[in-house]
Amino acid sequence: MRSVMKKFVSIRVPVPVPLLVVVIIALLAGVILKCTAGTKPFRDFSASDIAVAALEVKETGAGTSINQDEIRELEGLLHKVTIYEEAELDKAFYEKAVSFEIWTSDGSGVGSCTKIRSNPPYIEINGQGYRAKKKPCEKLRDFGYRIT
C-alpha cells in the first residue's frame, strides 16, 4: 500500500511554462483594458433627435443657438467623447468651460434636456463631472469657440 501511495504522490503533471505565461499575460491585459476602456455616453445620440441646441462660452459670455448643420457636426463630436471615472470639478473648470444645452424630442412633444460642459480633460454631463479622453473634449471646446 505504501509503495502505491508513494507512486501516486510522486506523479507530477508538467505544466508547459509558455502556456502559463500566455494565460497570465492574457489575464493582465484583460484587467488593464477593463480599467482603461471608458464608456461613450453619446454613442447613440442622433442629430435627428435634437429639437433645439444652444451653446454658451463662459469665458467670453457669448452664447448662441446651434443650426442644423452645426448640430450634425456636434453629433459627430459627441460620438467620440469617452468618459472614465467620476471627478470633482473645481472653479477653474467652470470658468473656461464651453456649455451645451441639447433638447431632444421623442416625437410625442415631450422633450428632455442634456447639459454638457467641456473643458479638457474633463467633461460634465447633467451635473456629474468625469475625467474624459482629452482630444474629443478639446474638439468639443474648440467647436464651441468657433461657432460663437
Side-chain angles (χ1 to χ4, degrees):
M1 178 76 164
R2 199 169 217 183
S3 65
V4 171
M5 192 64 137
K6 196 174 188 180
K7 283 183 181 178
F8 182 76
V9 172
S10 67
I11 296 175
R12 293 185 183 171
V13 177
V15 176
V17 174
L19 178 62
L20 187 60
V21 170
V22 168
V23 169
I24 291 171
I25 290 172
L27 289 172
L28 287 173
V31 168
I32 290 170
L33 185 63
K34 179 70 175 162
C35 292
T36 60
T39 59
K40 294 189 176 224
F42 303 109
R43 70 178 166 271
D44 297 329
F45 227 62
S46 173
S48 61
D49 295 334
I50 297 174
V52 178
L55 162 71
E56 178 188 10
V57 177
K58 180 75 171 173
E59 191 174 26
T60 63
T64 187
S65 293
I66 301 174
N67 68 39
Q68 284 301 314
D69 290 334
E70 293 164 339
I71 287 175
R72 281 190 287 283
E73 186 177 350
L74 177 62
E75 172 192 24
L77 294 171
L78 289 174
H79 283 177
K80 295 175 183 169
V81 170
T82 303
I83 59 173
Y84 302 108
E85 70 275 352
E86 292 181 4
E88 292 291 323
L89 304 175
D90 60 9
K91 185 178 177 183
F93 170 84
Y94 293 102
E95 289 172 353
K96 301 226 181 229
V98 173
S99 302
F100 296 91
E101 203 168 274
I102 301 168
W103 287 87
T104 58
S105 177
D106 62 3
S108 68
V110 178
S112 64
C113 181
T114 302
K115 294 181 181 183
I116 303 164
R117 286 189 178 101
S118 179
N119 188 5
Y122 298 99
I123 193 165
E124 182 185 72
I125 303 167
N126 293 331
Q128 178 59 58
Y130 299 93
R131 188 177 65 79
K133 192 179 253 184
K134 190 173 182 179
K135 279 282 189 207
C137 283
E138 285 175 344
K139 289 184 179 186
L140 195 58
R141 180 199 56 204
D142 294 347
F143 170 75
Y145 281 124
R146 183 171 43 86
I147 66 170
T148 53

